[in-house]
Amino acid sequence: MKFFEKVKGSQLGLPSLVLAIAVSLVASAAYAGAGKEWTVSRGDAAGTGYSTLDQINTGNVSNLKVKWMHSMGSVLSQETAPLIIDGVMYFSTSSGPAYVFAVNAETGETIWAHQPDMPTDYHSVVCCGEANRGVTYANGRIFFGRLDAILVALDAKTGEELWQTEVRPYKDGYSITVPPITVGDKVIVGHSGGEYGVRGSVQAYDQASGELIWRFYTIPGPGEQGHETWKGDSWQTGGGTAWLYFTHDPDLNLIYFGTSNGAPWGGQTRGNDSSDIGIYTNWGTAAHIALNPDTGELVWHYQMTPSDVWDYDGVNEGVLVDLNIGGSDVPALLKADRNGFFYVLNRTNGDVISAEPISVTNWATKVDKETGRPVEAPGNEFRPQLDKWARGVCPNLIGGKNWQPMSYSEQTGLVYVPTFNLCMDITNREQKYVKGTFYLASEFDLAIATPGFEDALGEYKAWDPVNQKLVWSIKEELPFLGGALTTAGGLLFYGNQSGVLKAVDASNGDILWSFRAGSGISAPPVTYEIGGKQYITVVSGRLVGPPSFFGVIGQRVIDASPTGGMLITFELGS
C-alpha cells in the first residue's frame, strides 16, 4: 500500500506530483502572517511564524532596547510564545504551568494572574522538562493544558476559571504541553506521554462548556484503519502522541498535526526486529495527519518513519504555504522532520512532492517518491535491534530538528530552521510495561557530534523549500537553538542556550544585533504593534530536562547559562 493514505469519500485535492526541477521561487504564503496582533501561537493558522510588520527592520534593528520585563514566576524550561490581543499579552509559564498571566502589552503591568492548583505528584509522569508551550484565545476565553492532563478555560478579562476537564488520566503517563487550537465553537488538544506507553489521541471540546465532542485515536484499535500494522496487542501502548503545534486550513476545513514515536522505542514488541518491517509499519506513529475539525474524521495520514525505533517523533509543525513548483501552484505543507528529511507535502491529500535531507542523515538513503517510504541503509546497519547496537546513527534521536519551531518568510520565500548536528549509538532492550512509568526498552549514547561538526552542534539554516537546498546557515557551538520569528522588516530573530537573542538579516545571515537575556532561549520570539510602535518579545529560561540525556554535550548546555524565567519586551530606541 502507498505510505500516504486517504479515507474513501474524504476531501481529495490535486493529484500526486512528481519531483521536478523548480523554475520559480515561492509565490506566496497560504496566509498573510501576523499583523499588529499575535493571536495564535505561531502568528497565523498556517503556522508560519511570520509578521507583516516592518517598522523594525535591517536598517534600524541595532537600536533595539529593553522596554519592560516581567518575571515568569518559575525557572524550568520556558517554552511559551505569548499572545497579544486588544493590547493585552497572555502567556503561560513552565512548571504546571505555575502561572498564566495577562499583562498590559505596552507597559508590562499585570492585569491578572491565574495560579493552577496542581497535584503534588505530576512531576513523576513528565518525560522531558516541565514545559508549557502557550495558551490559546477564542471568544473571550483563554484555553491552556496542564502537565496533569487537564484542559482549562479562563475568562480572558478576569482570569476567572470557567471550567476544567480531564483530557486523559495523568497517573497513567499523560500530560499536556501543547497549546490547544480553536476552530469554530471547538477547542482541540493533543497530549504527551509517548515515553510512558500511552495510546495517542486528539480530542475536541465545546468552548463554552468543556463537554467532549469527539476523540480521534492516533493508534488504531481493532476494526480501525491501520490496526493490522501493529503486532499483537502492542497498539494498546503504542505512543503516537500529538504533543506539538497544530495548523489549520479553513478553506479545506482541515487541521494538521504530527505524531510522536512508537512506544516503546525498542520496536521488537511492535513488529519485526529488522529493516524488513513487512506489514508492521505501526500506523499512526511518526506521522502527519489531517482531520476534519468538525467531526474528527480522518482525511489523510502520511508516515515519515515507519516502524520507528530511533525515537524520531514526527510531531514537528507542518507549515502551510502555497508554492510554485515546476510552473504549477501547489498547496503545500512544509515539515522539517526529526528523521533528518525536509518534506514538502500536498496538504490536500498528503502526497509527497519532495523530501530531501536537511541535516546529515545516514539511517536512510532517500525517500522513495512513489511509495513515500524512506529507504533504509542496507543490512540493518543503522537500525537498532534487540541487544544489537547501531553505531553512529545520524541524526540523533533529538532529530535533524526538534520541537523549536521554524518560520517561513513570505518576503524571502525561505524557511528558517533550527537544526542539530548530533548522532548516536542505540540498541533495543527488553522491558516490561508498567503503567505510568518510563517505557523505552532502549539504551543509547547521545553525546556524539556529527563528524565534521564538533564545533557546530547547532546550526540555523535558511532553506529553499522549492529547490530543496541550503541558502545560508549560522553555525552555533551548542545545540538546542530557539524557535524562529521572521518579519517583513527583512529580519530573522532567534535565541540560543547561552541566552543570546539575535536579529539576523534574513537574506544573507548577517547578525545585525544581539542581546544577552541571562538564561537560555528556546521559545520563539513574537512581535506586535501598539500605538504605532512595533515591539519584539521573547521568553528566556534555559532547558532543564533534555540536556541531561546528552552526557558531556548536555553538560555544556547546562553550563552555558543558569536556569531562569523572564519575559523581555524590546522597542526601538531614539
Side-chain angles (χ1 to χ4, degrees):
M1 72 182 166
K2 277 194 171 184
F3 226 43
F4 30 89
E5 299 176 319
K6 285 80 75 173
V7 175
K8 291 181 180 179
S10 295
Q11 302 174 27
L12 300 180
L14 299 176
S16 299
L17 296 174
V18 297
L19 182 64
I21 297 176
V23 297
S24 66
L25 293 176
V26 177
S28 65
Y31 305 100
K36 293 183 178 181
E37 298 185 318
W38 195 271
T39 60
V40 293
S41 184
R42 292 302 295 139
D44 57 25
T48 63
Y50 174 76
S51 170
T52 58
L53 299 180
D54 62 0
Q55 184 181 94
I56 299 171
N57 54 58
T58 56
N60 60 21
V61 69
S62 61
N63 295 323
L64 278 183
K65 66 175 186 178
V66 174
K67 169 67 171 179
W68 57 264
M69 298 189 293
H70 194 289
S71 171
M72 300 294 284
S74 65
V75 294
L76 298 178
S77 300
Q78 307 293 350
E79 300 180 8
T80 192
L83 306 184
I84 299 89
I85 299 161
D86 292 333
V88 178
M89 180 180 292
Y90 303 94
F91 58 97
S92 56
T93 76
S94 63
S95 301
Y99 295 94
V100 176
F101 288 107
V103 305
N104 183 308
E106 192 170 11
T107 66
E109 180 182 0
T110 300
I111 298 171
W112 55 255
H114 171 78
Q115 189 170 10
D117 184 16
M118 299 290 295
T120 58
D121 60 349
Y122 77 87
H123 310 273
S124 64
V125 290
V126 176
C127 158
C128 310
E130 297 185 7
N132 184 286
R133 297 189 176 92
V135 302
T136 300
Y137 173 91
N139 299 314
R141 304 179 185 95
I142 293 293
F143 303 96
F144 68 97
R146 304 191 332 195
L147 288 176
D148 58 352
I150 298 290
L151 180 65
V152 180
L154 305 178
D155 185 305
K157 289 187 177 180
T158 66
E160 177 188 1
E161 184 174 297
L162 302 175
W163 55 258
Q164 63 171 254
T165 187
E166 180 185 72
V167 174
R168 305 295 287 162
Y170 79 93
K171 292 192 176 188
D172 291 352
Y174 296 88
S175 57
I176 300 176
T177 62
V178 60
I181 185 173
T182 57
V183 180
D185 61 353
K186 300 172 185 64
V187 54
I188 302 168
V189 71
H191 59 74
S192 305
E195 277 65 50
Y196 291 82
V198 306
R199 183 188 181 197
S201 64
V202 171
Q203 31 279 310
Y205 298 88
D206 182 87
Q207 290 179 17
S209 67
E211 180 181 356
L212 179 67
I213 298 173
W214 56 254
R215 172 171 284 135
F216 172 84
Y217 284 102
T218 59
I219 307 301
E224 296 176 338
Q225 181 180 355
H227 179 67
E228 71 283 356
T229 69
W230 289 85
K231 183 179 178 180
D233 292 333
S234 62
W235 63 274
Q236 296 183 31
T237 55
T241 59
W243 59 264
L244 201 53
Y245 305 106
F246 289 69
T247 49
H248 175 219
D249 186 328
D251 295 329
L252 294 175
N253 194 34
L254 294 178
I255 59 170
Y256 307 88
F257 58 91
T259 63
S260 77
N261 55 282
W265 297 359
Q268 68 274 4
T269 62
R270 300 182 266 113
N272 298 335
D273 192 21
S274 167
S275 296
D276 182 14
I277 62 178
I279 66 170
Y280 296 124
T281 57
N282 304 147
W283 196 102
T285 63
H288 219 84
I289 292 175
L291 299 182
N292 181 318
D294 297 331
T295 63
E297 177 191 8
L298 174 70
V299 176
W300 59 256
H301 162 281
Y302 171 71
Q303 194 171 32
M304 288 77 64
T305 310
S307 185
D308 169 41
V309 289
W310 302 272
D311 187 34
Y312 287 154
D313 282 41
V315 295
N316 288 353
E317 69 280 6
V319 176
L320 314 182
V321 301
D322 293 334
L323 303 180
N324 188 285
I325 299 178
S328 298
D329 293 331
V330 178
L333 182 150
L334 309 181
K335 184 182 183 77
D337 196 59
R338 269 167 71 160
N339 71 8
F341 288 92
F342 189 99
Y343 292 84
V344 180
L345 304 181
N346 185 319
R347 71 175 179 269
T348 67
N349 55 25
D351 285 0
V352 178
I353 297 169
S354 65
E356 298 294 338
I358 193 172
S359 60
V360 174
T361 302
N362 62 16
W363 73 275
T365 60
K366 65 177 182 178
V367 173
D368 186 300
K369 304 308 187 299
E370 290 299 314
T371 65
R373 292 194 181 199
V375 178
E376 282 192 47
N380 294 303
E381 180 180 6
F382 297 113
R383 172 176 278 264
Q385 296 172 282
L386 181 61
D387 298 327
K388 181 181 177 182
W389 285 88
R391 305 284 186 183
V393 181
C394 306
N396 186 307
L397 60 79
I398 203 69
K401 175 191 174 294
N402 201 257
W403 75 265
Q404 293 88 346
M406 63 188 187
S407 179
Y408 171 85
S409 170
E410 182 179 355
Q411 186 178 68
T412 65
L414 302 178
V415 188
Y416 300 86
V417 189
T419 68
F420 291 77
N421 292 319
L422 293 171
C423 302
M424 66 179 171
D425 296 341
I426 186 169
T427 186
N428 298 346
R429 301 299 193 198
E430 292 284 8
Q431 182 181 349
K432 183 180 179 180
Y433 170 70
V434 178
K435 185 181 289 187
T437 64
F438 242 30
Y439 185 45
L440 301 185
S442 180
E443 184 180 346
F444 44 83
D445 178 2
L446 307 182
I448 300 174
T450 302
F453 290 88
E454 290 80 5
D455 296 325
L457 302 177
E459 189 170 357
Y460 236 95
K461 295 183 177 180
W463 191 260
D464 178 350
V466 174
N467 294 295
Q468 285 277 27
K469 69 177 185 180
L470 180 67
V471 177
W472 55 258
S473 74
I474 299 172
K475 292 181 170 62
E476 295 264 357
E477 178 184 358
L478 296 177
F480 298 100
L481 302 177
L485 164 70
T486 57
T487 75
L491 294 168
L492 160 70
F493 291 90
Y494 76 92
N496 62 26
Q497 291 306 309
S498 296
V500 180
L501 177 65
K502 300 181 180 183
V504 179
D505 188 321
S507 67
N508 57 27
D510 288 348
I511 298 171
L512 306 177
W513 172 86
S514 65
F515 176 86
R516 290 196 171 273
S519 185
I521 298 171
S522 302
V526 303
T527 188
Y528 58 98
E529 181 182 307
I530 294 178
K533 179 178 288 189
Q534 184 182 355
Y535 300 91
I536 304 288
T537 294
V538 72
V539 169
S540 70
R542 176 180 54 77
L543 285 175
V544 174
S548 64
F549 291 91
F550 286 78
V552 295
I553 289 175
Q555 190 60 50
R556 289 170 58 191
V557 174
I558 292 169
D559 293 342
S561 67
T563 56
M566 189 66 67
L567 184 145
I568 309 170
T569 294
F570 301 88
E571 65 178 356
L572 284 174
S574 55

